Amino acid sequence: MSCQPAEVLVSQRRRWLVGAGVAVAAAATGIALVLVGGGSAVTGTPAGLLSPSVLGKLQPAPPLGPSGYEGVPVPNAAPLASTATMAAGQQVDGISCQSDFRLLFHWHAALTIFAYGKQRQIPAGVGIIDPKETRNSKGQPYIQEGKCFYWLHTHAPDGVIHIESPVQRGFTLGDFFDEWGLPLGADQVGPAKGHVTVFYDGKVYQGNPRDIPLVDKAQIQLDVGLPLIAPDLISFPKGL
């Protein structure tokens, strides 16, 4: 299956109207993805978000890294973990790994992680089996193809989670970490252990990190331990 950013889709995929929906064909691979009109997904912002001021003084966020393939900054940091722990194609939390499916919606959420004040990168290829990396003319890496794609996955090491669902349902950050094969809870994010402070769209989230909803343009930051880093929201580029 080939899955590409919006700006690449325009030039490399054929588009045409099919009734109330839009069909998108991947010309290079022959795999077709269909966005069905009228479909919707569970949406909403978590209740009870608080101002970051309740946490006292926060350390400023580090400078943004260079812009990556998707037009989103790539952290100058080591990965939180590799993809070696990832699910091997079996269903996870009701989420399948497929090579050909009909999309009801395609969303994007941004995930940022700090462990003890140091930023950690979310690697490309989470949720993609047998990923095949490509690079553009600037040398920026991107996972464009793979044997199959889980409905939650990453194409680049920029923290953008692609939410591409053929069914009407909600997704959480816990689902993404289950695909990745890493623990996530109030006191652990992958291999990093300590109290987890959560920011959602720049505000303090009070619930279990596993329950954070993944909705379009959501910006999620997880701080493990101290010091706490002030949330620094990104601007999603056109097409994401």
Side-chain angles (χ1 to χ4, degrees):
M1 175 179 176
S2 174
C3 194
Q4 303 168 309
E7 62 270 20
V8 178
L9 289 174
V10 172
S11 61
Q12 295 189 1
R13 290 183 178 175
R14 292 173 295 152
R15 299 185 173 195
W16 66 94
L17 295 179
V18 178
V22 178
V24 183
T29 63
I31 299 298
L33 304 181
V34 181
L35 180 63
V36 181
S40 62
V42 178
T43 62
T45 299
L49 297 177
L50 303 176
S51 168
S53 63
V54 302
L55 300 174
K57 187 175 182 180
L58 306 176
Q59 285 200 3
L64 295 175
S67 181
Y69 194 105
E70 298 184 290
V72 174
V74 176
N76 289 311
L80 174 70
S82 72
T83 59
T85 57
M86 197 176 70
Q90 73 273 25
Q91 193 174 81
V92 177
D93 299 339
I95 301 170
S96 299
C97 192
Q98 298 174 262
S99 60
D100 185 7
F101 53 93
R102 298 167 61 87
L103 294 181
L104 280 176
F105 56 92
H106 184 174
W107 289 347
H108 306 91
L111 175 61
T112 301
I113 297 176
F114 290 93
Y116 325 115
K118 302 294 185 181
Q119 191 165 10
R120 293 292 179 259
Q121 193 180 92
I122 292 84
V126 176
I128 303 174
I129 303 300
D130 294 338
K132 295 178 175 58
E133 182 182 284
T134 186
R135 290 177 180 265
N136 62 10
S137 59
K138 298 179 181 179
Q140 297 165 325
Y142 185 81
I143 304 299
Q144 180 173 309
E145 297 182 359
K147 181 179 179 181
C148 68
F149 285 64
Y150 282 99
W151 303 341
L152 309 177
H153 54 262
T154 62
H155 288 290
D158 53 15
V160 174
I161 300 173
H162 288 246
I163 306 150
E164 303 179 19
S165 179
V167 300
Q168 182 173 322
R169 57 160 286 180
F171 297 96
T172 66
L173 192 60
D175 294 328
F176 177 73
F177 271 78
D178 288 347
E179 287 184 7
W180 197 354
L182 296 179
L184 175 65
D187 296 298
Q188 186 171 4
V189 178
K193 296 182 179 181
H195 178 72
V196 180
T197 302
V198 181
F199 297 95
Y200 188 97
D201 288 347
K203 296 183 179 180
V204 180
Y205 173 86
Q206 301 181 79
N208 189 323
R210 290 191 54 83
D211 299 331
I212 298 172
L214 295 179
V215 299
D216 197 31
K217 305 300 187 291
Q219 300 200 41
I220 302 159
Q221 179 175 312
L222 307 178
D223 285 20
V224 184
L226 297 173
L228 298 180
I229 308 299
D232 189 10
L233 302 182
I234 66 169
S235 296
F236 282 93
K238 185 178 180 181
L240 280 186

